[in-house]
């Protein structure tokens, strides 16, 4: 188990040089602690979460997200056949856009394709590879950090200059809150999410055996290329019915439909550590991802070799390919409007 004995984190913010990008830009790491057992580290490359540590009452610490030790590993991971996007913010559009094309106001756009015939997670150079600026750091019992990035008009061929703020807050109740806001200079499409891989037994372990609950009766039906067909699957009685809680599957890549944002979207529980994470969001979907072909060769932080069940992603978001389906929730951000997405990951000891 990924554990070590250190005393409770005191409320704190620590900034350190993390590494340098090939163009000379300096990437910093920022550690926030809430003084109540939660400590998170972020870097301004991809506005990435590199660690999320939870301390037990006796001081035992579990790092519940996958990540790398240094900046070169984060950069190199984007050159893998299937990049893992460990802990990064995904944008301008999370998930797949069919053939990388869509139409707004009768103008058709052709995005850069980075996934066969399609565009995945924003194209060749999505927000997970972007150099973000650290805009604001606040200490105290509810410490927070704001990262900001301006995506230029035409970046990856998306219309409009998009100005994004992502705020991470650790609350005194042991929640990690992620707030995303954005405005655009031209009507565009947007779908932002967080691509952390969680493991409540620690990042060196397996999520097999942990319990997954997803409050969703429907999921998106996909074609052979994993593109939504526009139809829905009723999950009742199928292998992807997690309404009553079930063991985390060894492989899943599914967008669930959230019909009531007053309820938690999902939760994960480990009987081993007694840790529970509950996910709340104002978004219409949670995309659950485990497995994939990108593991086996990935060496993560603390010399851990990650494998297919090292972690599970809870990507709260709009539906993939929504720009091409009129009956999916609207993915267009209009000039003059503000995009606003809030997701909370709440941690507790349930035993
Ligand atoms: C997608 C997967 C993709 C993975 C890349 C997930 O969000 O749903 O299909 O392979 O990201 O790491």
């Amino acid at each position: 188990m990924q554990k070590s004995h250190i005393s409770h984190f005191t409320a704190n913010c620590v900034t350190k040089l993390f590494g340098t990008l090939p163009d000379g830009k300096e990437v910093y790491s920022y550690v926030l602690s809430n003084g109540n057992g939660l400590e998170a580290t972020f870097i301004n490359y991809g506005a990435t979460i590199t660690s999320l540590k939870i301390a037990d009452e006796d001081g035992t610490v579990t790092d519940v997200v996958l990540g790398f030790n240094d900046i070169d590993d984060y950069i190199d991971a984007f050159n893998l056949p299937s990049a893992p996007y460990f802990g990064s913010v995904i944008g301008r559009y999370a998930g797949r856009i069919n053939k990388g094309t869509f139409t707004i106001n009768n103008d058709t756009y052709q995005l850069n394709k980075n996934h066969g015939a399609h565009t995945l997670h924003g194209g060749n150079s999505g927000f997970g590879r972007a150099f973000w600026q650290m805009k604001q750091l606040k200490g105290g019992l509810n410490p927070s950090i704001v990262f900001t990035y301006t995506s230029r008009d035409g970046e990856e061929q998306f219309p409009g200059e998009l100005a994004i703020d992502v705020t991470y807050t650790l609350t005194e109740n042991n929640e990690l809150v992620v707030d995303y806001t954005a405005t655009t200079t031209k009507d565009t499409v947007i779908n932002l999410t967080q691509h952390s891989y969680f493991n409540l037994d620690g990042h060196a372990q397996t999520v097999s055996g942990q319990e997954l609950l997803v409050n969703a009766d429907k999921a998106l039906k996909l074609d052979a290329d994993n593109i939504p067909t526009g139809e829905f699957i009723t999950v009742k009685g199928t292998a992807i019915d997690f309404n009553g809680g079930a063991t985390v599957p060894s492989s899943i890549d599914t967008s669930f439909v959230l019909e009531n944002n007053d309820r938690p979207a999902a939760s994960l529980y480990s009987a081993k550590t007694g840790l529970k994470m509950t996910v709340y969001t104002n978004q219409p979907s949670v995309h659950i991802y485990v497995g994939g072909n990108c593991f086996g060769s990935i060496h993560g932080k603390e010399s851990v070799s990650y494998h297919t069940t090292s972690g599970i992603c809870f990507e709260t978001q709009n539906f993939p390919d929504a720009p091409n389906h009129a009956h999916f929730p609207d993915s267009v951000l209009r000039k003059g409007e503000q995009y606003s997405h809030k997701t909370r990951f709440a941690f507790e000891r349930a035993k």
Side-chain angles (χ1 to χ4, degrees), residues 82-85 96 120-121 195 197 226 253 287 289 294 315:
S82 176
Y85 300 84
R96 291 163 180 80
L120 172 68
H121 292 339
H195 212 277
Y197 293 69
N226 272 351
D253 198 359
H287 185 90
Y289 179 56
C294 49
E315 302 163 55

Side-chain angles (χ1 to χ4, degrees), residues 198-213:
F198 295 93
N199 189 327
L200 297 180
D201 292 339
H203 76 105
Q205 305 299 315
T206 171
V207 287
S208 300
Q210 292 174 31
E211 187 181 292
L212 172 67
L213 186 143

Side-chain angles (χ1 to χ4, degrees), residues 124-250:
N124 293 319
S125 193
F127 295 174
R129 303 178 91 165
F131 183 78
W132 294 65
Q133 300 288 341
M134 201 282 287
K135 189 169 158 183
Q136 193 183 73
L137 193 57
K138 277 194 195 155
L141 298 181
N142 297 273
S144 63
I145 187 163
V146 185
F147 291 106
T148 189
Y149 176 62
T150 302
S151 167
R152 67 177 170 77
D153 185 4
E155 189 174 279
E156 295 297 306
Q157 318 307 329
F158 284 101
E161 183 181 281
L162 188 73
I164 313 113
D165 275 2
V166 173
T167 306
Y168 293 110
T169 307
L170 301 186
T171 72
E172 54 202 310
N173 302 321
N174 287 339
E175 298 161 313
L176 167 66
V177 183
V178 194
D179 280 291
Y180 311 73
T181 58
T183 53
T184 180
T185 57
K186 286 180 194 161
D187 294 358
T188 190
V189 293
I190 186 168
N191 193 22
L192 305 182
T193 194
Q194 226 299 325
H195 212 277
S196 281
Y197 293 69
F198 295 93
N199 189 327
L200 297 180
D201 292 339
H203 76 105
Q205 305 299 315
T206 171
V207 287
S208 300
Q210 292 174 31
E211 187 181 292
L212 172 67
L213 186 143
V214 185
N215 272 322
D217 294 333
K218 288 189 283 182
L220 300 196
K221 190 169 177 185
L222 304 177
D223 71 10
D225 279 359
N226 272 351
I227 307 287
T229 61
E231 294 163 298
F232 298 94
I233 300 167
T234 303
V235 304
K236 199 173 170 59
T238 73
I240 56 163
D241 184 357
F242 296 99
N243 282 288
T247 307
V248 172
S250 56

Side-chain angles (χ1 to χ4, degrees), residues 47-99:
T48 300
I49 300 172
T50 62
S51 78
L52 184 59
K53 295 180 178 173
I54 302 177
D56 210 341
E57 272 174 9
D58 66 3
T60 304
V61 173
T62 310
D63 185 352
V64 298
V65 295
L66 277 54
F68 292 116
N69 276 335
D70 55 55
I71 192 66
D72 291 339
D73 289 342
Y74 278 100
I75 296 169
D76 292 348
F78 281 104
N79 299 322
L80 291 167
S82 176
Y85 300 84
F86 283 163
S88 67
V89 167
I90 306 288
R92 185 176 300 203
Y93 203 94
R96 291 163 180 80
I97 295 184
N98 194 13
K99 308 226 165 34

